[in-house]
Amino acid sequence: MSTAHDQPLIPILYEDNHLLAVVKPPGIPSQADDSGDEDMLTLLKSDLKRRYDKPGNVFLGLVHRLDRPVGGVMLFAKTSKAASRLSEAVRSRTFGKTYLAVLTGTPARTSGQLTHHLTKDSRTNTVQAFDHPVSGSKEARLDYRILATASGTALAYIRLHTGRSHQIRVQMAAIGCPLVGDRKYGSQSGTSIVHNIALWSAAIEVAHPVTKEKLRISAAPLQQGSWAPWNEALLQAAVDSAE
């Protein structure tokens, strides 16, 4: 592990000379966008520069993205070699991603695999799901399992098999269970906090780009907001069960 002069501004889950894994707070963009708001990539580059007194520009590669309203585990590459190898893992689907979500209502089946064909409208930044291929669509697949229910909502474990834009949000909405707080895809419930929906990046599994060691990096959401109905022990157990 690298040694730092002091504690970082964003919680670090794992760090060595090649990788940096952190907990992304909901509401922060993964990278700079038209909003001009502070983003993860810029914040972490500044943090690395500060903690290690690095001169000049700091390299940090964006390996995958989380939607702005989504919090949880996010992995970055500290070298170009690591960035290239991790990007290949994403392309070859050997980069495992599991999530927790709070759904409005409960699906008819408590577990299963969803397959849809998604199209994206870049003008409105929205995605539409179809149950059959249409022009320009991409196949999207995920597995889900309901872990608990409370007050008309359901805590779900979700594992992605593809990495499409807004995939979890639009696929769960397509079966009538939009994520709590996700007004873009039909939710009428949730907190009033701007840029906050009940979706959490719970764990990442990938081979270390240099040592080839199998890494599993995880973090549970805090028991607040949409996650308040479930105690911390259950949330942690949900993350641990996503192996």
Side-chain angles (χ1 to χ4, degrees):
M1 298 290 287
S2 300
T3 56
H5 291 172
D6 53 358
Q7 289 301 308
L9 300 175
I10 294 172
I12 288 180
L13 298 171
Y14 178 91
E15 183 176 10
D16 62 17
N17 292 332
H18 312 281
L19 303 176
L20 176 64
V22 302
V23 177
K24 173 190 174 299
I28 300 180
S30 292
Q31 62 185 131
D33 60 17
D34 293 340
S35 71
D37 295 340
E38 289 186 316
D39 64 281
M40 291 295 292
L41 199 56
T42 302
L43 286 169
L44 290 172
K45 283 183 178 181
S46 298
D47 191 51
L48 286 170
K49 187 178 179 71
R50 178 184 64 85
R51 288 194 289 127
Y52 298 109
D53 292 332
K54 285 183 173 289
N57 294 325
V58 173
F59 178 87
L60 194 64
L62 186 69
V63 177
H64 65 117
R65 295 169 178 79
L66 294 178
D67 290 348
R68 179 170 182 156
V70 179
V73 182
M74 196 168 181
L75 185 64
F76 296 82
K78 293 173 68 175
T79 66
S80 57
K81 177 186 288 187
S84 175
R85 291 179 178 176
L86 289 173
S87 294
E88 177 55 34
V90 172
R91 282 192 295 271
S92 64
R93 300 180 183 174
T94 58
F95 189 98
K97 291 181 283 187
T98 55
Y99 291 79
L100 295 181
V102 183
L103 310 180
T104 302
T106 304
R109 295 177 58 196
T110 56
S111 65
Q113 183 171 108
L114 301 181
T115 300
H116 291 94
H117 300 269
L118 309 186
T119 60
K120 182 173 182 178
D121 186 336
S122 298
R123 295 169 300 171
T124 60
N125 191 33
T126 56
V127 176
Q128 191 170 0
F130 298 88
D131 59 9
H132 57 276
V134 299
S135 177
S137 66
K138 295 180 178 180
E139 186 183 79
R141 287 186 299 116
L142 61 78
D143 292 329
Y144 74 90
R145 184 170 74 249
I146 302 304
L147 304 175
T149 59
S151 304
T153 65
L155 178 65
Y157 150 82
I158 296 169
R159 185 169 184 87
L160 289 179
H161 294 292
T162 55
R164 309 304 184 196
S165 180
H166 296 187
Q167 179 178 338
I168 294 173
R169 299 165 64 181
V170 73
Q171 285 198 272
M172 300 317 293
I175 63 168
C177 296
L179 275 57
V180 169
D182 193 2
R183 287 170 173 77
K184 177 174 281 192
Y185 291 106
S187 174
Q188 301 300 314
S189 61
T191 66
S192 61
I193 300 173
V194 178
H195 303 310
N196 192 13
I197 63 174
L199 182 60
W200 184 264
S201 173
I204 285 171
E205 303 100 16
V206 68
H208 192 286
V210 176
T211 67
K212 308 305 180 186
E213 172 193 4
K214 183 179 179 181
L215 296 177
R216 184 179 190 274
I217 305 167
S218 64
L222 297 176
Q223 188 191 10
Q224 60 187 29
S226 302
W227 308 99
W230 295 282
N231 63 45
E232 292 180 4
L234 176 59
L235 292 172
Q236 186 60 55
V239 169
D240 293 341
S241 72
E243 295 192 47

